[in-house]
Amino acid sequence: MKCKDIVKELADYLDEALDPCLRTSIEQHLGQCKDCRVVVDTTKQTIEIFCNSEPAPLPPTTRQRLHDALVKRLRRSRTGSTPQA
Ligand SMILES: [Zn+2]
C-alpha cells in the first residue's frame, strides 16, 4: 500500500464503505506514514464540519473535488521535497 493508494481509497475509507482487508491495509499504512495520517485527519475534520452544516451524505462531485485536491496536494508535497537543480 502506497500513499497514492491511500488517496485513491480515502473517500470510501472515510465512508466506512471499504472492504475490511483494504481497510486493514490502510490502517497499517497510516500507522507508519505520518503524511497520510495528516491527510486523513484533515479530511475527516473537513467532512465532519461539512456534515454538521448539512446532514446529507457527501455528493459525488464533492467527493471527486476532495479527491482531486488531495492528489494535487500529495503531488505538490512530493515535488516540493525534491531540490531543484
Ligand atoms: Zn503514506
Side-chain angles (χ1 to χ4, degrees):
M1 183 76 49
K2 297 195 174 102
C3 297
K4 214 170 63 183
D5 302 318
I6 302 289
V7 173
K8 213 168 67 187
E9 308 294 348
L10 186 57
D12 282 341
Y13 172 72
L14 293 174
D15 265 0
E16 300 189 4
L18 210 57
D19 183 85
C21 292
L22 210 51
R23 197 181 171 81
T24 306
S25 306
I26 289 181
E27 272 159 8
Q28 270 170 5
H29 181 96
L30 292 179
Q32 301 160 356
C33 182
K34 203 179 134 208
D35 286 347
C36 284
R37 230 156 41 219
V38 170
V39 171
V40 170
D41 282 351
T42 309
T43 310
K44 223 191 265 181
Q45 277 165 19
T46 308
I47 290 173
E48 272 164 21
I49 292 165
F50 185 87
C51 287
N52 282 341
S53 59
E54 192 156 338
L58 224 53
T61 48
T62 306
R63 280 174 63 142
Q64 189 57 48
R65 254 197 321 237
L66 191 62
H67 174 264
D68 291 348
L70 287 168
V71 170
K72 249 180 244 165
R73 190 185 152 146
L74 270 187
R75 255 190 223 136
R76 212 187 311 144
S77 67
R78 194 168 306 151
T79 50
S81 63
T82 312
Q84 297 276 326

